[in-house]
Structures are given as structure tokens and as C-alpha cells.
Amino acid sequence: MTPKGVNTWQACLSKHLQELAMTAAISFWVAQIIGNSMGTMLALCLLCHPLACLPAAVFLLLQVAIVVLPVGEAPVLIQRAIHFSVQSALSYFSCRVTVEDADALKPGQAYVVGLEPHSALPVALPMVFTDHCDLLPKGLRGIKILAHTAALYMPATRHFWWWLGVRPIDKANIHRLLAANNSVVLVPGGVSECMVMKQGQEVMYLRKRLGFVRLALNHGAPLVPAFAFGQSETYSWIRPGPQYVVDFFRRVLGFVPLLMWGIWYSAVPYKVPVHVVIGTPVLLPQMDNPTDEEVQQYLDMYITAMEKLCERYKHETGHDDMQFQVV
């Protein structure tokens, strides 16, 4: 083989290895959730088996030990791995971030960013709203991602999400973050939005979501509408029944048991462009005890801003025919 041929072969091999590493880094976040869930369920089933009960019990004890293990600071190698994972996701999804008014997002001011939609999996949250993403505007640096507490009590998953910047979405924690002038981002529709999702349509479960607005008013933190165009196309999904079982999982365990898959029915998401648009902040006054009517007023302002944001950018993001519905 000629030197030129060797160089071509090495370049080709290097490219494939890079693509493999990127795919593994992106899939890791979903695969660890699926692996933890399936491993735990399998171990619970095997507890009754005379030959498998001991290893199953050891596995479950290790899971519990990992959950109670202190988080602490992430080792340097872990930080590098997380950074590589975020950068891989940005490249994989050809991610773009549009900020309507970057000057309106001032460093040192706490903001409450409401990102929609939830989709089967809100991949834009860990991909964009982290200091590992260079596309995040300066005014939102140091932002914390708010997620259901259940996500932070899964073995191994808990540590990686915490090191990425995920924090539990409870009132005391949100008050503490906003009081310290830390911005937060959440999906207002939450897991309840998964109950009303429709194929080929963006449904936002917002009309009854007063809580995040009330908390923002308590601190005078502006509400920032944001929408992730293309996110709903990253995974296929089916919402199994019966409805009362799905609702039980949502209320008690904090998640909807969706059957979701990507390429070749795997944890690898579909390679589709994701375009996150961060809108202009909706300014709020500081109110210690806002009335329900006042909270509703500012929720309506946020919803109106979100609807206008979707309409303004659906053409630019290649979603001209997409229907948006707020329920």
C-alpha cells in the first residue's frame, strides 16, 4: 500500500472512531437511564429465584450505596467526558441557538427560563443550558437545570446529572437558587405534558402551570420563553396504556413510562437539526404574596410571548407546517 493509501485509510479509520465516540457520548445519558431501570427491575424479579437471589441482592445493595454516595466535585476526567458529550451532542444535532435580545439578558440577574416542548426527552436542556455549551449567552452562564427529584436518585445517573448542573425542582431549592441570583431553566409542562403529546404536533401544557410564575414573582425574576425546534423529532415514542397505570407513574414516580427509541430501535437519537430560540425576557415585579389573579396575569403574558416566539421562528427553523397548541 502506498503512503498516500495508508494516510487515506488512517484518516478514514480516525473519522469512524470519532463518530463512534460521539455516538457513544450522546447515547450514554439515555442508555444509563434505561440500563439502570431495566437492571433494577430484573434484579427485583430475580430475588425470588434460588440461584440468582444472591447476585440480585448484591446488585440492589450496590445501587442503594451509589445513591447515598456523596456527590462532591466531579473529577477532572469526568468533567472532560461531560464536556465532550455536550460538544458531541451539539455537533450531532447541528444545534443552533438564536437569542432574540442578548443585551436584555444581564449577568448577575436571576432569570427563570421556561423551555418548551418536553418531547419524549428534552435533549436541549443538557445540551444547551450548561456552561459546557459555548452557544449559551453570557447572561445565562451558571444556569441550573431543574428536573424531577426522581432523576437525581437513580444510581450513577444522579452523579452525572448533578455534575452537569441539574438540581431538584422543589420550592425550597428554587427559592435558594433565585435568592443567590442564579438563573434556572425548566420545562413548565413537565412530565404532565407527556400525557397530552401528539404525533406531528407541538402541544404545550401551560395553562395550569402557575407554580413557576409564582416563584419568579417572589424574586422579581424575569420569565424567559424558549423553544427547541426539532427536539420532538429526535426520538420516536408510544404512550402505552391503560391510562390509569400511566397516570400512576406520573403522579407517584414522577415520570411517564413512554416506549421511546431512536436509530435502529436503540438509545441513539435520530440525527435531526435542533434549533433553540431564546426569547426576550418578560419582566416581572417582585411580589412576596401575589394573588392568584396576578399570577394568572403573568402566566398569560408568558404564554402569549411563547406563542409569538413559535410563530416568528417556525419558518426560519424549517417548521412552516408545524401546529402549536397550548393546553
Side-chain angles (χ1 to χ4, degrees), residues 71-107:
V71 177
E73 291 292 328
V76 175
L77 288 178
I78 296 295
Q79 283 288 359
R80 290 177 180 174
I82 292 174
H83 183 79
F84 175 73
S85 179
V86 171
Q87 293 300 313
S88 297
L90 291 169
S91 175
Y92 185 84
F93 293 115
S94 302
C95 185
R96 294 175 58 197
V97 176
T98 297
V99 184
E100 278 200 313
D101 189 353
D103 293 334
L105 298 170
K106 304 182 185 302

PDB file of all heavy atoms in Angstrom, residues 71-107:
ATOM      1  N   VAL A  71     -22.038  13.399  46.431  1.00  0.00           N
ATOM      2  CA  VAL A  71     -21.736  13.802  45.061  1.00  0.00           C
ATOM      3  C   VAL A  71     -20.350  14.432  44.979  1.00  0.00           C
ATOM      4  O   VAL A  71     -19.480  13.967  44.262  1.00  0.00           O
ATOM      5  CB  VAL A  71     -22.808  14.774  44.535  1.00  0.00           C
ATOM      6  CG1 VAL A  71     -22.433  15.246  43.132  1.00  0.00           C
ATOM      7  CG2 VAL A  71     -24.175  14.108  44.520  1.00  0.00           C
ATOM      8  N   GLY A  72     -20.137  15.522  45.716  1.00  0.00           N
ATOM      9  CA  GLY A  72     -18.836  16.177  45.698  1.00  0.00           C
ATOM     10  C   GLY A  72     -18.517  16.806  44.347  1.00  0.00           C
ATOM     11  O   GLY A  72     -19.370  16.947  43.479  1.00  0.00           O
ATOM     12  N   GLU A  73     -17.271  17.176  44.176  1.00  0.00           N
ATOM     13  CA  GLU A  73     -16.813  17.774  42.925  1.00  0.00           C
ATOM     14  C   GLU A  73     -16.497  16.673  41.916  1.00  0.00           C
ATOM     15  O   GLU A  73     -15.992  15.609  42.274  1.00  0.00           O
ATOM     16  CB  GLU A  73     -15.555  18.620  43.164  1.00  0.00           C
ATOM     17  CG  GLU A  73     -15.808  19.878  43.960  1.00  0.00           C
ATOM     18  CD  GLU A  73     -16.648  20.895  43.196  1.00  0.00           C
ATOM     19  OE1 GLU A  73     -16.520  20.938  41.949  1.00  0.00           O
ATOM     20  OE2 GLU A  73     -17.422  21.618  43.834  1.00  0.00           O
ATOM     21  N   ALA A  74     -16.795  16.958  40.670  1.00  0.00           N
ATOM     22  CA  ALA A  74     -16.519  15.973  39.616  1.00  0.00           C
ATOM     23  C   ALA A  74     -15.025  15.874  39.356  1.00  0.00           C
ATOM     24  O   ALA A  74     -14.343  16.901  39.261  1.00  0.00           O
ATOM     25  CB  ALA A  74     -17.240  16.361  38.336  1.00  0.00           C
ATOM     26  N   PRO A  75     -14.498  14.657  39.257  1.00  0.00           N
ATOM     27  CA  PRO A  75     -13.084  14.503  38.884  1.00  0.00           C
ATOM     28  C   PRO A  75     -12.818  15.149  37.525  1.00  0.00           C
ATOM     29  O   PRO A  75     -13.728  15.289  36.698  1.00  0.00           O
ATOM     30  CB  PRO A  75     -12.904  12.977  38.824  1.00  0.00           C
ATOM     31  CG  PRO A  75     -14.018  12.430  39.663  1.00  0.00           C
ATOM     32  CD  PRO A  75     -15.164  13.367  39.497  1.00  0.00           C
ATOM     33  N   VAL A  76     -11.584  15.540  37.290  1.00  0.00           N
ATOM     34  CA  VAL A  76     -11.219  16.235  36.050  1.00  0.00           C
ATOM     35  C   VAL A  76     -11.585  15.408  34.824  1.00  0.00           C
ATOM     36  O   VAL A  76     -12.127  15.931  33.840  1.00  0.00           O
ATOM     37  CB  VAL A  76      -9.710  16.558  36.040  1.00  0.00           C
ATOM     38  CG1 VAL A  76      -9.309  17.174  34.698  1.00  0.00           C
ATOM     39  CG2 VAL A  76      -9.363  17.511  37.174  1.00  0.00           C
ATOM     40  N   LEU A  77     -11.308  14.111  34.872  1.00  0.00           N
ATOM     41  CA  LEU A  77     -11.605  13.262  33.720  1.00  0.00           C
ATOM     42  C   LEU A  77     -13.109  13.201  33.454  1.00  0.00           C
ATOM     43  O   LEU A  77     -13.538  13.168  32.291  1.00  0.00           O
ATOM     44  CB  LEU A  77     -11.049  11.849  33.943  1.00  0.00           C
ATOM     45  CG  LEU A  77      -9.529  11.707  33.857  1.00  0.00           C
ATOM     46  CD1 LEU A  77      -9.111  10.262  34.153  1.00  0.00           C
ATOM     47  CD2 LEU A  77      -9.027  12.123  32.466  1.00  0.00           C
ATOM     48  N   ILE A  78     -13.907  13.188  34.521  1.00  0.00           N
ATOM     49  CA  ILE A  78     -15.360  13.171  34.352  1.00  0.00           C
ATOM     50  C   ILE A  78     -15.821  14.487  33.732  1.00  0.00           C
ATOM     51  O   ILE A  78     -16.683  14.504  32.840  1.00  0.00           O
ATOM     52  CB  ILE A  78     -16.066  12.933  35.703  1.00  0.00           C
ATOM     53  CG1 ILE A  78     -15.715  11.546  36.252  1.00  0.00           C
ATOM     54  CG2 ILE A  78     -17.577  13.073  35.546  1.00  0.00           C
ATOM     55  CD1 ILE A  78     -16.218  10.395  35.416  1.00  0.00           C
ATOM     56  N   GLN A  79     -15.271  15.603  34.185  1.00  0.00           N
ATOM     57  CA  GLN A  79     -15.627  16.906  33.621  1.00  0.00           C
ATOM     58  C   GLN A  79     -15.301  16.946  32.127  1.00  0.00           C
ATOM     59  O   GLN A  79     -16.076  17.476  31.321  1.00  0.00           O
ATOM     60  CB  GLN A  79     -14.880  18.024  34.351  1.00  0.00           C
ATOM     61  CG  GLN A  79     -15.458  18.374  35.711  1.00  0.00           C
ATOM     62  CD  GLN A  79     -16.789  19.108  35.592  1.00  0.00           C
ATOM     63  OE1 GLN A  79     -17.284  19.377  34.507  1.00  0.00           O
ATOM     64  NE2 GLN A  79     -17.392  19.423  36.721  1.00  0.00           N
ATOM     65  N   ARG A  80     -14.153  16.399  31.769  1.00  0.00           N
ATOM     66  CA  ARG A  80     -13.770  16.370  30.349  1.00  0.00           C
ATOM     67  C   ARG A  80     -14.722  15.493  29.549  1.00  0.00           C
ATOM     68  O   ARG A  80     -15.091  15.823  28.417  1.00  0.00           O
ATOM     69  CB  ARG A  80     -12.341  15.861  30.211  1.00  0.00           C
ATOM     70  CG  ARG A  80     -11.284  16.843  30.715  1.00  0.00           C
ATOM     71  CD  ARG A  80      -9.884  16.255  30.610  1.00  0.00           C
ATOM     72  NE  ARG A  80      -8.870  17.187  31.099  1.00  0.00           N
ATOM     73  CZ  ARG A  80      -7.585  16.885  31.220  1.00  0.00           C
ATOM     74  NH1 ARG A  80      -7.156  15.658  30.880  1.00  0.00           N
ATOM     75  NH2 ARG A  80      -6.727  17.791  31.661  1.00  0.00           N
ATOM     76  N   ALA A  81     -15.133  14.368  30.146  1.00  0.00           N
ATOM     77  CA  ALA A  81     -16.063  13.467  29.464  1.00  0.00           C
ATOM     78  C   ALA A  81     -17.422  14.145  29.265  1.00  0.00           C
ATOM     79  O   ALA A  81     -18.048  14.010  28.200  1.00  0.00           O
ATOM     80  CB  ALA A  81     -16.228  12.179  30.270  1.00  0.00           C
ATOM     81  N   ILE A  82     -17.897  14.866  30.283  1.00  0.00           N
ATOM     82  CA  ILE A  82     -19.170  15.579  30.168  1.00  0.00           C
ATOM     83  C   ILE A  82     -19.067  16.665  29.098  1.00  0.00           C
ATOM     84  O   ILE A  82     -19.978  16.842  28.281  1.00  0.00           O
ATOM     85  CB  ILE A  82     -19.569  16.187  31.531  1.00  0.00           C
ATOM     86  CG1 ILE A  82     -19.916  15.065  32.520  1.00  0.00           C
ATOM     87  CG2 ILE A  82     -20.756  17.133  31.377  1.00  0.00           C
ATOM     88  CD1 ILE A  82     -20.177  15.548  33.935  1.00  0.00           C
ATOM     89  N   HIS A  83     -17.958  17.388  29.084  1.00  0.00           N
ATOM     90  CA  HIS A  83     -17.757  18.439  28.080  1.00  0.00           C
ATOM     91  C   HIS A  83     -17.760  17.835  26.676  1.00  0.00           C
ATOM     92  O   HIS A  83     -18.391  18.377  25.751  1.00  0.00           O
ATOM     93  CB  HIS A  83     -16.439  19.169  28.343  1.00  0.00           C
ATOM     94  CG  HIS A  83     -16.189  20.313  27.405  1.00  0.00           C
ATOM     95  ND1 HIS A  83     -16.794  21.543  27.545  1.00  0.00           N
ATOM     96  CD2 HIS A  83     -15.415  20.402  26.285  1.00  0.00           C
ATOM     97  CE1 HIS A  83     -16.403  22.344  26.566  1.00  0.00           C
ATOM     98  NE2 HIS A  83     -15.563  21.672  25.793  1.00  0.00           N
ATOM     99  N   PHE A  84     -17.064  16.715  26.519  1.00  0.00           N
ATOM    100  CA  PHE A  84     -17.027  16.040  25.219  1.00  0.00           C
ATOM    101  C   PHE A  84     -18.420  15.580  24.808  1.00  0.00           C
ATOM    102  O   PHE A  84     -18.805  15.685  23.635  1.00  0.00           O
ATOM    103  CB  PHE A  84     -16.073  14.842  25.277  1.00  0.00           C
ATOM    104  CG  PHE A  84     -16.055  14.022  24.007  1.00  0.00           C
ATOM    105  CD1 PHE A  84     -15.448  14.504  22.866  1.00  0.00           C
ATOM    106  CD2 PHE A  84     -16.660  12.767  23.967  1.00  0.00           C
ATOM    107  CE1 PHE A  84     -15.441  13.759  21.688  1.00  0.00           C
ATOM    108  CE2 PHE A  84     -16.658  12.014  22.804  1.00  0.00           C
ATOM    109  CZ  PHE A  84     -16.040  12.506  21.656  1.00  0.00           C
ATOM    110  N   SER A  85     -19.197  15.087  25.776  1.00  0.00           N
ATOM    111  CA  SER A  85     -20.553  14.622  25.492  1.00  0.00           C
ATOM    112  C   SER A  85     -21.435  15.767  25.008  1.00  0.00           C
ATOM    113  O   SER A  85     -22.179  15.629  24.033  1.00  0.00           O
ATOM    114  CB  SER A  85     -21.162  13.985  26.741  1.00  0.00           C
ATOM    115  OG  SER A  85     -22.482  13.559  26.499  1.00  0.00           O
ATOM    116  N   VAL A  86     -21.344  16.923  25.684  1.00  0.00           N
ATOM    117  CA  VAL A  86     -22.146  18.087  25.279  1.00  0.00           C
ATOM    118  C   VAL A  86     -21.731  18.573  23.892  1.00  0.00           C
ATOM    119  O   VAL A  86     -22.581  18.834  23.029  1.00  0.00           O
ATOM    120  CB  VAL A  86     -22.009  19.217  26.321  1.00  0.00           C
ATOM    121  CG1 VAL A  86     -22.647  20.510  25.803  1.00  0.00           C
ATOM    122  CG2 VAL A  86     -22.651  18.811  27.634  1.00  0.00           C
ATOM    123  N   GLN A  87     -20.431  18.678  23.664  1.00  0.00           N
ATOM    124  CA  GLN A  87     -19.947  19.137  22.363  1.00  0.00           C
ATOM    125  C   GLN A  87     -20.333  18.151  21.259  1.00  0.00           C
ATOM    126  O   GLN A  87     -20.659  18.560  20.133  1.00  0.00           O
ATOM    127  CB  GLN A  87     -18.422  19.317  22.404  1.00  0.00           C
ATOM    128  CG  GLN A  87     -17.955  20.446  23.303  1.00  0.00           C
ATOM    129  CD  GLN A  87     -18.503  21.793  22.889  1.00  0.00           C
ATOM    130  OE1 GLN A  87     -18.469  22.157  21.710  1.00  0.00           O
ATOM    131  NE2 GLN A  87     -19.015  22.552  23.851  1.00  0.00           N
ATOM    132  N   SER A  88     -20.319  16.864  21.576  1.00  0.00           N
ATOM    133  CA  SER A  88     -20.725  15.843  20.598  1.00  0.00           C
ATOM    134  C   SER A  88     -22.192  15.994  20.235  1.00  0.00           C
ATOM    135  O   SER A  88     -22.575  15.885  19.064  1.00  0.00           O
ATOM    136  CB  SER A  88     -20.467  14.442  21.166  1.00  0.00           C
ATOM    137  OG  SER A  88     -19.091  14.228  21.395  1.00  0.00           O
ATOM    138  N   ALA A  89     -23.027  16.264  21.247  1.00  0.00           N
ATOM    139  CA  ALA A  89     -24.457  16.439  21.000  1.00  0.00           C
ATOM    140  C   ALA A  89     -24.711  17.673  20.143  1.00  0.00           C
ATOM    141  O   ALA A  89     -25.537  17.647  19.222  1.00  0.00           O
ATOM    142  CB  ALA A  89     -25.205  16.552  22.329  1.00  0.00           C
ATOM    143  N   LEU A  90     -24.012  18.776  20.428  1.00  0.00           N
ATOM    144  CA  LEU A  90     -24.176  19.992  19.635  1.00  0.00           C
ATOM    145  C   LEU A  90     -23.831  19.745  18.172  1.00  0.00           C
ATOM    146  O   LEU A  90     -24.519  20.227  17.260  1.00  0.00           O
ATOM    147  CB  LEU A  90     -23.283  21.097  20.200  1.00  0.00           C
ATOM    148  CG  LEU A  90     -23.673  21.658  21.575  1.00  0.00           C
ATOM    149  CD1 LEU A  90     -22.559  22.545  22.130  1.00  0.00           C
ATOM    150  CD2 LEU A  90     -24.968  22.450  21.481  1.00  0.00           C
ATOM    151  N   SER A  91     -22.766  18.975  17.950  1.00  0.00           N
ATOM    152  CA  SER A  91     -22.356  18.659  16.582  1.00  0.00           C
ATOM    153  C   SER A  91     -23.323  17.677  15.926  1.00  0.00           C
ATOM    154  O   SER A  91     -23.716  17.845  14.765  1.00  0.00           O
ATOM    155  CB  SER A  91     -20.940  18.084  16.592  1.00  0.00           C
ATOM    156  OG  SER A  91     -20.546  17.667  15.304  1.00  0.00           O
ATOM    157  N   TYR A  92     -23.728  16.660  16.664  1.00  0.00           N
ATOM    158  CA  TYR A  92     -24.604  15.604  16.138  1.00  0.00           C
ATOM    159  C   TYR A  92     -25.930  16.188  15.657  1.00  0.00           C
ATOM    160  O   TYR A  92     -26.441  15.819  14.595  1.00  0.00           O
ATOM    161  CB  TYR A  92     -24.846  14.572  17.236  1.00  0.00           C
ATOM    162  CG  TYR A  92     -25.642  13.362  16.813  1.00  0.00           C
ATOM    163  CD1 TYR A  92     -25.016  12.275  16.196  1.00  0.00           C
ATOM    164  CD2 TYR A  92     -27.008  13.279  17.049  1.00  0.00           C
ATOM    165  CE1 TYR A  92     -25.739  11.153  15.829  1.00  0.00           C
ATOM    166  CE2 TYR A  92     -27.739  12.168  16.682  1.00  0.00           C
ATOM    167  CZ  TYR A  92     -27.102  11.100  16.073  1.00  0.00           C
ATOM    168  OH  TYR A  92     -27.821   9.992  15.702  1.00  0.00           O
ATOM    169  N   PHE A  93     -26.504  17.100  16.452  1.00  0.00           N
ATOM    170  CA  PHE A  93     -27.803  17.691  16.111  1.00  0.00           C
ATOM    171  C   PHE A  93     -27.667  18.985  15.306  1.00  0.00           C
ATOM    172  O   PHE A  93     -28.673  19.670  15.091  1.00  0.00           O
ATOM    173  CB  PHE A  93     -28.607  17.971  17.385  1.00  0.00           C
ATOM    174  CG  PHE A  93     -29.043  16.742  18.134  1.00  0.00           C
ATOM    175  CD1 PHE A  93     -28.561  16.483  19.406  1.00  0.00           C
ATOM    176  CD2 PHE A  93     -29.922  15.840  17.563  1.00  0.00           C
ATOM    177  CE1 PHE A  93     -28.963  15.351  20.104  1.00  0.00           C
ATOM    178  CE2 PHE A  93     -30.321  14.696  18.252  1.00  0.00           C
ATOM    179  CZ  PHE A  93     -29.843  14.457  19.526  1.00  0.00           C
ATOM    180  N   SER A  94     -26.441  19.315  14.891  1.00  0.00           N
ATOM    181  CA  SER A  94     -26.211  20.578  14.177  1.00  0.00           C
ATOM    182  C   SER A  94     -26.923  21.716  14.906  1.00  0.00           C
ATOM    183  O   SER A  94     -27.641  22.533  14.303  1.00  0.00           O
ATOM    184  CB  SER A  94     -26.709  20.482  12.731  1.00  0.00           C
ATOM    185  OG  SER A  94     -26.078  19.425  12.046  1.00  0.00           O
ATOM    186  N   CYS A  95     -26.747  21.744  16.212  1.00  0.00           N
ATOM    187  CA  CYS A  95     -27.514  22.646  17.074  1.00  0.00           C
ATOM    188  C   CYS A  95     -27.180  24.113  16.825  1.00  0.00           C
ATOM    189  O   CYS A  95     -26.011  24.492  16.710  1.00  0.00           O
ATOM    190  CB  CYS A  95     -27.269  22.299  18.538  1.00  0.00           C
ATOM    191  SG  CYS A  95     -28.286  23.267  19.677  1.00  0.00           S
ATOM    192  N   ARG A  96     -28.229  24.911  16.746  1.00  0.00           N
ATOM    193  CA  ARG A  96     -28.106  26.354  16.649  1.00  0.00           C
ATOM    194  C   ARG A  96     -28.872  26.989  17.804  1.00  0.00           C
ATOM    195  O   ARG A  96     -29.890  26.456  18.242  1.00  0.00           O
ATOM    196  CB  ARG A  96     -28.668  26.861  15.322  1.00  0.00           C
ATOM    197  CG  ARG A  96     -27.901  26.419  14.087  1.00  0.00           C
ATOM    198  CD  ARG A  96     -28.626  26.870  12.830  1.00  0.00           C
ATOM    199  NE  ARG A  96     -28.808  28.322  12.802  1.00  0.00           N
ATOM    200  CZ  ARG A  96     -29.680  28.952  12.003  1.00  0.00           C
ATOM    201  NH1 ARG A  96     -30.454  28.241  11.187  1.00  0.00           N
ATOM    202  NH2 ARG A  96     -29.790  30.269  12.036  1.00  0.00           N
ATOM    203  N   VAL A  97     -28.382  28.107  18.281  1.00  0.00           N
ATOM    204  CA  VAL A  97     -29.059  28.854  19.335  1.00  0.00           C
ATOM    205  C   VAL A  97     -29.246  30.288  18.868  1.00  0.00           C
ATOM    206  O   VAL A  97     -28.269  30.955  18.502  1.00  0.00           O
ATOM    207  CB  VAL A  97     -28.274  28.827  20.656  1.00  0.00           C
ATOM    208  CG1 VAL A  97     -28.966  29.702  21.705  1.00  0.00           C
ATOM    209  CG2 VAL A  97     -28.135  27.397  21.178  1.00  0.00           C
ATOM    210  N   THR A  98     -30.481  30.727  18.857  1.00  0.00           N
ATOM    211  CA  THR A  98     -30.800  32.112  18.495  1.00  0.00           C
ATOM    212  C   THR A  98     -31.287  32.833  19.747  1.00  0.00           C
ATOM    213  O   THR A  98     -32.206  32.363  20.423  1.00  0.00           O
ATOM    214  CB  THR A  98     -31.892  32.170  17.406  1.00  0.00           C
ATOM    215  OG1 THR A  98     -31.404  31.552  16.214  1.00  0.00           O
ATOM    216  CG2 THR A  98     -32.271  33.610  17.111  1.00  0.00           C
ATOM    217  N   VAL A  99     -30.653  33.945  20.061  1.00  0.00           N
ATOM    218  CA  VAL A  99     -31.043  34.766  21.215  1.00  0.00           C
ATOM    219  C   VAL A  99     -31.655  36.049  20.669  1.00  0.00           C
ATOM    220  O   VAL A  99     -30.962  36.829  19.993  1.00  0.00           O
ATOM    221  CB  VAL A  99     -29.848  35.077  22.125  1.00  0.00           C
ATOM    222  CG1 VAL A  99     -30.304  35.841  23.358  1.00  0.00           C
ATOM    223  CG2 VAL A  99     -29.143  33.786  22.538  1.00  0.00           C
ATOM    224  N   GLU A 100     -32.914  36.272  20.950  1.00  0.00           N
ATOM    225  CA  GLU A 100     -33.599  37.440  20.392  1.00  0.00           C
ATOM    226  C   GLU A 100     -32.970  38.754  20.840  1.00  0.00           C
ATOM    227  O   GLU A 100     -32.792  39.672  20.046  1.00  0.00           O
ATOM    228  CB  GLU A 100     -35.078  37.420  20.798  1.00  0.00           C
ATOM    229  CG  GLU A 100     -35.945  36.535  19.933  1.00  0.00           C
ATOM    230  CD  GLU A 100     -37.405  36.896  20.039  1.00  0.00           C
ATOM    231  OE1 GLU A 100     -37.905  37.063  21.167  1.00  0.00           O
ATOM    232  OE2 GLU A 100     -38.063  37.006  18.982  1.00  0.00           O
ATOM    233  N   ASP A 101     -32.659  38.857  22.118  1.00  0.00           N
ATOM    234  CA  ASP A 101     -32.092  40.098  22.645  1.00  0.00           C
ATOM    235  C   ASP A 101     -31.065  39.751  23.724  1.00  0.00           C
ATOM    236  O   ASP A 101     -31.378  39.709  24.913  1.00  0.00           O
ATOM    237  CB  ASP A 101     -33.205  40.980  23.220  1.00  0.00           C
ATOM    238  CG  ASP A 101     -32.716  42.386  23.583  1.00  0.00           C
ATOM    239  OD1 ASP A 101     -31.484  42.626  23.501  1.00  0.00           O
ATOM    240  OD2 ASP A 101     -33.547  43.236  23.958  1.00  0.00           O
ATOM    241  N   ALA A 102     -29.841  39.522  23.271  1.00  0.00           N
ATOM    242  CA  ALA A 102     -28.776  39.123  24.198  1.00  0.00           C
ATOM    243  C   ALA A 102     -28.489  40.222  25.224  1.00  0.00           C
ATOM    244  O   ALA A 102     -28.137  39.932  26.370  1.00  0.00           O
ATOM    245  CB  ALA A 102     -27.506  38.782  23.425  1.00  0.00           C
ATOM    246  N   ASP A 103     -28.660  41.483  24.836  1.00  0.00           N
ATOM    247  CA  ASP A 103     -28.386  42.588  25.757  1.00  0.00           C
ATOM    248  C   ASP A 103     -29.389  42.644  26.901  1.00  0.00           C
ATOM    249  O   ASP A 103     -29.100  43.214  27.962  1.00  0.00           O
ATOM    250  CB  ASP A 103     -28.410  43.923  25.006  1.00  0.00           C
ATOM    251  CG  ASP A 103     -27.253  44.048  24.017  1.00  0.00           C
ATOM    252  OD1 ASP A 103     -26.213  43.398  24.250  1.00  0.00           O
ATOM    253  OD2 ASP A 103     -27.393  44.776  23.017  1.00  0.00           O
ATOM    254  N   ALA A 104     -30.579  42.060  26.679  1.00  0.00           N
ATOM    255  CA  ALA A 104     -31.608  42.069  27.725  1.00  0.00           C
ATOM    256  C   ALA A 104     -31.325  41.027  28.799  1.00  0.00           C
ATOM    257  O   ALA A 104     -31.926  41.071  29.879  1.00  0.00           O
ATOM    258  CB  ALA A 104     -32.986  41.815  27.108  1.00  0.00           C
ATOM    259  N   LEU A 105     -30.411  40.096  28.513  1.00  0.00           N
ATOM    260  CA  LEU A 105     -30.034  39.063  29.480  1.00  0.00           C
ATOM    261  C   LEU A 105     -28.746  39.513  30.169  1.00  0.00           C
ATOM    262  O   LEU A 105     -27.655  39.351  29.636  1.00  0.00           O
ATOM    263  CB  LEU A 105     -29.840  37.716  28.780  1.00  0.00           C
ATOM    264  CG  LEU A 105     -31.096  37.153  28.092  1.00  0.00           C
ATOM    265  CD1 LEU A 105     -30.733  35.942  27.234  1.00  0.00           C
ATOM    266  CD2 LEU A 105     -32.151  36.780  29.122  1.00  0.00           C
ATOM    267  N   LYS A 106     -28.893  40.089  31.340  1.00  0.00           N
ATOM    268  CA  LYS A 106     -27.770  40.723  32.015  1.00  0.00           C
ATOM    269  C   LYS A 106     -27.139  39.786  33.050  1.00  0.00           C
ATOM    270  O   LYS A 106     -27.849  39.204  33.875  1.00  0.00           O
ATOM    271  CB  LYS A 106     -28.232  42.010  32.689  1.00  0.00           C
ATOM    272  CG  LYS A 106     -28.900  42.997  31.720  1.00  0.00           C
ATOM    273  CD  LYS A 106     -29.286  44.272  32.410  1.00  0.00           C
ATOM    274  CE  LYS A 106     -30.055  45.191  31.453  1.00  0.00           C
ATOM    275  NZ  LYS A 106     -29.265  45.507  30.252  1.00  0.00           N
ATOM    276  N   PRO A 107     -25.817  39.629  33.025  1.00  0.00           N
ATOM    277  CA  PRO A 107     -25.133  38.821  34.046  1.00  0.00           C
ATOM    278  C   PRO A 107     -25.422  39.365  35.444  1.00  0.00           C
ATOM    279  O   PRO A 107     -25.493  40.574  35.659  1.00  0.00           O
ATOM    280  CB  PRO A 107     -23.649  38.998  33.688  1.00  0.00           C
ATOM    281  CG  PRO A 107     -23.655  39.356  32.225  1.00  0.00           C
ATOM    282  CD  PRO A 107     -24.891  40.182  32.018  1.00  0.00           C
TER     283      PRO A 107
END
